[in-house]
Amino acid sequence: MIFNGDCLDILATFESESVDMIYLDPPFFTQKTQKLSDKNGKIYKFKDTWSSRKEYLAFMKARILSMKKLLKPTGSLFLHCDTSASWHLKILLDEIFGETNFRSEIIWCYKRWSNSQNGLLPNHQTIFLYSKTKNFKFNTIYGDYSPTTNIDQILQERERDKFGKAVYKKNSNGEIVSGKAKKGVPLSDVWEIPFLNPKAKERTGYPTQKPVELLERIIKISTDKGDLVLDPFCGSGTTLVSAKLLGRKFVGIDISKDAVEMAQKRLITPFKTDSTLLRVGVDSYKTKTERELKILSQFECDIVQRNRGIDAFLKKHYLGLPVALKIQKENETILEAINLLQNAGEKKKCSFTVLIYSKNENSMFLADEISVPKNMILLPVLDENLNFELQKRSAVSPF
Amino acid sequence: MIFNGDCLDILATFESESVDMIYLDPPFFTQKTQKLSDKNGKIYKFKDTWSSRKEYLAFMKARILSMKKLLKPTGSLFLHCDTSASWHLKILLDEIFGETNFRSEIIWCYKRWSNSQNGLLPNHQTIFLYSKTKNFKFNTIYGDYSPTTNIDQILQERERDKFGKAVYKKNSNGEIVSGKAKKGVPLSDVWEIPFLNPKAKERTGYPTQKPVELLERIIKISTDKGDLVLDPFCGSGTTLVSAKLLGRKFVGIDISKDAVEMAQKRLITPFKTDSTLLRVGVDSYKTKTERELKILSQFECDIVQRNRGIDAFLKKHYLGLPVALKIQKENETILEAINLLQNAGEKKKCSFTVLIYSKNENSMFLADEISVPKNMILLPVLDENLNFELQKRSAVSPF
DNA sequence: TATAGTATTGAATCCGAGC
DNA sequence: CGCTCGGATTCAATACTAT
């Protein structure tokens, strides 16, 4: 839902404590008119000129106050500052939300072309994060350990000795005690996300457009699926596009009719540069299960409908002949699956076939006791039950 | 030269417009007493507790005002702070130096140990750079181009065509015109410099010690050899050590007698940690080949450096114990690989181990003729030679 | 001599105990 | 029920020991 108008008026019509997260990227008292044009030469602009800072701060104060009212007790607000942070706004936020509800100063940094000669290249922007109360919703995202981290730290339990020194824990036999599984390193407040490339497909032509990647991260850490996201200065609608892509409800407001029109257009086919959405075939949704689609999407393949023995063919041939893929169904034994694939593969003149079998606890180590045809390759899918997560195989740079 | 006392008193005795650069790392308004001890158990501390923010800001204002007097017209001031008071200090500096003399908000970011569960890890500090006048001294440092930069941009001359569009310049024969040699990318305002590690030799035991690397960069961009550097809150003397190493004159002031003594001791043999991380960068720790990274990226795992038997651990444990992963190296036989993994896995108390072996055409189907330990799982890697592209497994929506 | 492997420790911060 | 206080947990990066 997008509204055209001054957010002060429109926010007043909403129900209080109904919003989970607010992201705003307001004008920043630059005293300039921001202008940019799209591929067709249409010019988009907005005015950021004010009679005084006092006027500007009064404008912002009224609007932020009504935003706070709309937030649920668990809700949070992200205020995005262009280039050099607006310190006066920071103090305004402290006033409205209380200093104890200040959570983070997020630094968004990127590399960018510029010919600034005398001084440092300004390559970051600041986002202030406030929560309405102490009990705010937060989904930690975990990342990888640094390559310099000592792995024993992660594996071994530790304790304090009688001198209070932290030492590795040993059991009564003097053996090392393994620690619990660790989740990884929590996300830091410095985010390196590429600046929206001038050539990016995602780019609309609207000034100060933000990358979807940035908004996705903000939405992920602060909301769950189905939650409501509000952007009172939505511009070209990046926040709304990201919210839609992530299955959140969203409301946008902008005073510019052009902006609202553009955001509406973008929302028809929400698009993220390098979208995963495009990769998953639309037709295939009907006959394959979600699980099978997940598995098949890990391969470069063409999905086959209505064939009991074959689920897909690899796009590339081997020895001039196709390669068939099959996923062991939940109601098939591995022997049944092998036979089905073998017969179908012969019919289709495959040089090789690949069976993706479900490793469950009973059959886990039986694979090599089974006679497998010479031109069949078995790959395991360790699934949900096993907690191994071997199946989560993420893409790397293009091979 | 180092003075012991309140910098307000001591600054008053200096000649005005005599200093080229001032770096200050004052108390941050953390409302705590910072305490640490050196290797001999000597405790160093300073108080950072105040009756109110007003008191703190008044304290800072008086001192910054007298610092400004001492600066040469070409001089600059770096104020180091964190989120505890940064926006109030920023407004104070705007007041004293004038908003037009604000040059940069430098973000010093780093990785650090912490167990923050509910929110983002605070992994940055802020340094405000102000110049006394418009005509300030600044030495641009140039860095490497980003690996994603199109090399043509650097090598070829560009010009504007008749529509005002930037195009590659061609000569009258239609040949490309080479551009002038470029200096590289000017230094950005986001600096990733490792935090002073608890185990670093450089560490003195004085609390809140900054890395020499950080101060060297500040001194290099703002001063030339022979220039005078002042640090009115010098603490353990990192600024002075860096200035001495770079051939600048220096004056330090600290209210703590202990700090002054330590700084004096450090200056006798100025020392900078010679760490591999600083010398060759984080990449030197990344010892995996591209092929290995591709394979490992298919699993949810933590990559292990510097272990001959183990390349990674699965993030999830199995039977309460870790699961080690190894990729058969190109110069290893499968038996060697099995033995290395088995030994390493035992040492690290793994419940299971996973060996990813290279299926080449010769050894492809030999795997089950080899005796494999009961708790080791063998998975094939179909590699480059096979053109199967099975390895191209891209991520789908979160499982 | 180089490389693999091990032991630390903190401008941190969370959580539960004790007022 | 809101404090503070201390004990437990945390991981990056270094130094040191063993091979």
Side-chain angles (χ1 to χ4, degrees):
Chain A
M1 185 85 79
I2 313 179
F3 297 89
N4 181 208
D6 184 337
C7 62
L8 186 62
D9 308 326
I10 293 167
L11 292 175
T13 67
F14 294 169
E15 193 188 335
S16 4
E17 309 214 335
S18 61
V19 176
D20 292 283
M21 187 272 277
I22 298 174
Y23 167 86
L24 68 156
D25 179 22
F28 270 91
F29 194 62
T30 55
Q31 298 290 35
K32 286 179 198 158
T33 295
Q34 304 291 340
K35 217 194 292 189
L36 203 68
S37 63
D38 69 10
K39 290 145 203 158
N40 308 320
K42 184 170 167 66
I43 291 170
Y44 294 92
K45 59 182 172 185
F46 64 82
K47 251 180 61 183
D48 186 15
T49 52
W50 311 82
S51 68
S52 69
R53 173 170 280 145
K54 212 175 151 190
E55 181 208 356
Y56 167 73
L57 286 174
F59 172 93
M60 288 307 300
K61 186 172 184 173
R63 282 152 189 81
I64 295 175
L65 273 170
S66 59
M67 287 174 214
K68 192 192 169 192
K69 270 188 212 141
L70 299 184
L71 274 183
K72 288 186 190 169
T74 55
S76 48
L77 179 138
F78 293 78
L79 189 143
H80 193 127
C81 299
D82 257 343
T83 322
S84 162
S86 170
W87 302 99
H88 298 274
L89 272 186
K90 174 66 178 68
I91 285 169
L92 191 61
L93 285 166
D94 273 349
E95 227 181 279
I96 296 174
F97 281 84
E99 278 183 56
T100 54
N101 288 317
F102 168 62
R103 295 280 155 244
S104 286
E105 181 187 68
I106 298 168
I107 303 295
W108 169 35
C109 59
Y110 41 80
K111 300 220 162 98
R112 196 172 47 162
W113 279 97
S114 169
N115 52 1
S116 157
Q117 288 301 326
N118 210 18
L120 300 164
L121 280 184
N123 278 4
H124 75 275
Q125 295 178 18
T126 306
I127 301 167
F128 292 117
L129 166 55
Y130 282 78
S131 61
K132 185 157 180 177
T133 66
K134 247 183 166 176
N135 301 312
F136 58 102
K137 186 179 275 193
F138 190 89
N139 303 317
T140 303
I141 296 179
Y142 295 94
D144 289 335
Y145 291 92
S146 156
T148 58
T149 297
N150 176 0
I151 195 72
D152 293 333
Q153 290 277 340
I154 299 162
L155 294 176
Q156 295 181 32
E157 194 83 43
R158 310 200 63 189
E159 63 182 355
R160 299 244 169 217
D161 69 7
K162 55 187 171 180
F163 307 110
K165 207 174 82 173
V167 293
Y168 289 125
K169 192 172 180 176
K170 308 232 163 146
N171 66 15
S172 49
N173 299 328
E175 290 166 332
I176 286 161
V177 178
S178 279
K180 288 170 222 138
K182 306 263 167 84
K183 288 176 195 155
V185 184
L187 191 63
S188 107
D189 58 1
V190 179
W191 297 357
E192 197 176 333
I193 293 176
F195 196 80
L196 203 57
N197 188 290
K199 290 222 157 169
K201 280 187 192 164
E202 200 179 302
R203 191 177 266 272
T204 59
Y206 197 83
T208 73
Q209 189 186 340
K210 303 294 176 295
V212 172
E213 184 71 22
L214 176 70
L215 268 299
E216 283 195 343
R217 194 175 286 185
I218 286 173
I219 291 169
K220 275 182 193 164
I221 61 173
S222 59
T223 64
D224 296 318
K225 275 202 176 175
D227 283 356
L228 180 58
V229 170
L230 167 65
D231 186 344
F233 296 88
C234 73
S236 60
T238 305
T239 309
L240 317 179
V241 166
S242 309
K244 188 166 184 185
L245 286 170
L246 292 172
R248 271 67 166 173
K249 285 182 256 172
F250 53 87
V251 173
I253 306 170
D254 204 284
I255 199 157
S256 149
K257 213 177 164 184
D258 281 346
V260 170
E261 271 169 21
M262 164 164 305
Q264 259 153 351
K265 216 184 291 168
R266 269 180 95 187
L267 280 167
I268 296 166
T269 47
F271 184 80
K272 180 184 169 189
T273 305
D274 184 31
S275 160
T276 45
L277 198 73
L278 299 172
R279 201 181 315 135
V280 182
V282 184
D283 297 344
S284 51
Y285 280 108
K286 288 156 193 166
T287 57
K288 302 290 174 206
T289 67
E290 220 178 305
R291 173 175 169 272
E292 287 164 352
L293 287 172
K294 274 180 211 161
I295 295 167
L296 292 175
S297 69
Q298 300 174 342
F299 300 90
E300 285 245 307
C301 63
D302 298 314
I303 290 176
V304 172
Q305 312 290 347
R306 291 187 298 181
N307 185 311
R308 241 173 30 112
I310 297 172
D311 286 311
F313 286 102
L314 293 184
K315 280 196 193 288
K316 290 226 174 152
H317 286 193
Y318 184 60
L319 301 175
L321 294 170
V323 178
L325 250 109
K326 177 177 169 57
I327 299 166
Q328 182 188 356
K329 304 288 173 294
E330 285 179 13
N331 56 356
E332 285 169 356
T333 67
I334 192 153
L335 273 174
E336 287 167 353
I338 287 172
N339 289 334
L340 280 166
L341 176 57
Q342 180 63 10
N343 292 336
E346 271 172 19
K347 258 186 207 156
K348 300 291 181 192
K349 302 266 175 220
C350 294
S351 56
F352 275 89
T353 57
V354 179
L355 178 63
I356 297 150
Y357 62 100
S358 305
K359 264 198 171 176
N360 56 51
E361 297 207 41
N362 298 327
S363 71
M364 197 175 212
F365 305 109
L366 300 179
D368 50 11
E369 295 177 8
I370 289 166
S371 120
V372 178
K374 278 207 173 147
N375 60 348
M376 185 179 294
I377 296 165
L378 266 65
L379 289 179
V381 169
L382 302 178
D383 56 337
E384 302 74 7
N385 315 326
L386 265 180
N387 284 336
F388 259 180
E389 296 233 345
L390 288 183
Q391 71 276 52
K392 187 151 186 187
R393 294 158 191 194
S394 39
V396 220
S397 56
F399 276 48
Chain B
M1 185 85 79
I2 313 179
F3 297 88
N4 181 209
D6 184 337
C7 61
L8 186 62
D9 308 325
I10 292 167
L11 292 174
T13 67
F14 293 169
E15 193 187 335
S16 12
E17 308 214 334
S18 62
V19 176
D20 291 283
M21 188 270 275
I22 298 173
Y23 166 87
L24 66 155
D25 178 24
F28 287 179
F29 191 63
T30 55
Q31 298 289 33
K32 286 176 199 161
T33 295
Q34 303 296 341
K35 211 192 313 187
L36 205 66
S37 61
D38 68 11
K39 287 143 205 159
N40 307 320
K42 181 170 171 66
I43 292 171
Y44 294 92
K45 59 183 172 185
F46 65 83
K47 255 181 61 184
D48 184 14
T49 52
W50 310 81
S51 67
S52 70
R53 172 141 55 217
K54 210 174 152 191
E55 183 207 357
Y56 171 74
L57 288 173
F59 172 91
M60 290 304 301
K61 186 173 183 175
R63 281 151 189 80
I64 294 174
L65 273 170
S66 58
M67 285 174 214
K68 193 192 168 194
K69 272 188 212 145
L70 299 184
L71 274 183
K72 286 186 192 170
T74 55
S76 49
L77 177 139
F78 294 79
L79 188 144
H80 193 130
C81 58
D82 74 358
T83 50
S84 314
S86 58
W87 36 93
H88 293 96
L89 286 173
K90 173 73 171 64
I91 285 166
L92 190 62
L93 286 165
D94 274 347
E95 230 180 274
I96 296 174
F97 280 84
E99 279 185 53
T100 54
N101 288 317
F102 168 62
R103 296 281 153 241
S104 286
E105 179 187 68
I106 299 168
I107 303 296
W108 170 37
C109 60
Y110 42 81
K111 296 198 163 154
R112 207 178 35 181
W113 45 95
S114 169
N115 70 341
S116 170
Q117 297 294 330
N118 209 17
L120 300 164
L121 282 185
N123 279 5
H124 76 274
Q125 293 176 16
T126 306
I127 301 167
F128 293 117
L129 165 56
Y130 282 77
S131 61
K132 185 155 182 180
T133 66
K134 248 183 166 176
N135 301 312
F136 58 102
K137 186 179 276 192
F138 191 87
N139 304 316
T140 304
I141 296 179
Y142 295 94
D144 292 335
Y145 289 97
S146 139
T148 57
T149 300
N150 179 355
I151 194 76
D152 294 336
Q153 295 269 347
I154 300 163
L155 296 177
Q156 297 180 27
E157 196 77 43
R158 307 192 67 183
E159 62 183 356
R160 299 251 166 214
D161 68 8
K162 55 188 173 184
F163 308 108
K165 208 177 94 179
V167 294
Y168 289 125
K169 190 173 180 177
K170 306 225 167 154
N171 65 16
S172 49
N173 299 331
E175 291 163 337
I176 284 158
V177 178
S178 282
K180 289 169 223 141
K182 303 264 167 79
K183 288 179 195 152
V185 182
L187 191 63
S188 112
D189 59 0
V190 179
W191 297 357
E192 197 177 334
I193 294 175
F195 195 83
L196 196 61
N197 193 272
K199 300 293 283 184
K201 263 191 190 168
E202 197 180 305
R203 192 177 266 274
T204 58
Y206 197 84
T208 78
Q209 189 184 340
K210 302 294 176 296
V212 172
E213 185 72 16
L214 176 70
L215 270 297
E216 283 195 341
R217 192 175 287 187
I218 287 173
I219 291 170
K220 276 182 193 163
I221 61 172
S222 59
T223 64
D224 296 318
K225 276 203 174 175
D227 283 356
L228 179 58
V229 170
L230 166 66
D231 186 344
F233 296 88
C234 74
S236 59
T238 305
T239 310
L240 318 180
V241 166
S242 308
K244 186 167 185 183
L245 285 169
L246 292 172
R248 271 70 166 170
K249 283 181 263 173
F250 53 86
V251 172
I253 305 169
D254 205 283
I255 199 159
S256 148
K257 210 177 166 185
D258 281 346
V260 171
E261 270 169 23
M262 166 166 302
Q264 260 153 349
K265 216 185 292 167
R266 265 180 98 186
L267 280 166
I268 296 166
T269 46
F271 182 80
K272 181 181 171 190
T273 298
D274 175 40
S275 79
T276 31
L277 183 67
L278 286 173
R279 196 173 54 241
V280 273
V282 75
D283 289 339
S284 69
Y285 283 84
K286 298 174 183 165
T287 55
K288 304 293 172 211
T289 66
E290 222 177 299
R291 173 175 167 271
E292 287 163 351
L293 287 173
K294 274 176 207 161
I295 296 166
L296 292 175
S297 70
Q298 300 172 343
F299 301 90
E300 282 248 311
C301 62
D302 296 317
I303 292 177
V304 173
Q305 311 289 349
R306 290 194 302 181
N307 187 308
R308 243 162 38 101
I310 297 171
D311 285 313
F313 285 98
L314 293 184
K315 277 196 194 289
K316 292 232 172 146
H317 286 191
Y318 186 62
L319 301 176
L321 293 171
V323 179
L325 252 105
K326 177 178 168 56
I327 299 167
Q328 182 188 356
K329 302 288 172 295
E330 285 180 12
N331 57 356
E332 283 170 356
T333 67
I334 192 152
L335 273 175
E336 286 167 352
I338 288 173
N339 287 335
L340 280 167
L341 175 56
Q342 180 64 10
N343 291 335
E346 269 172 19
K347 253 190 208 157
K348 299 293 183 192
K349 302 266 173 218
C350 296
S351 56
F352 279 88
T353 58
V354 179
L355 178 64
I356 297 150
Y357 63 99
S358 305
K359 260 198 175 176
N360 56 50
E361 300 207 35
N362 299 325
S363 71
M364 200 172 211
F365 302 109
L366 299 179
D368 51 12
E369 295 176 8
I370 288 166
S371 119
V372 177
K374 279 206 171 145
N375 58 349
M376 185 179 295
I377 298 166
L378 265 64
L379 290 178
V381 169
L382 304 176
D383 57 335
E384 301 76 5
N385 315 326
L386 270 177
N387 280 336
F388 260 178
E389 292 230 348
L390 289 183
Q391 69 273 59
K392 187 157 186 183
R393 294 158 192 189
S394 37
V396 221
S397 57
F399 275 48

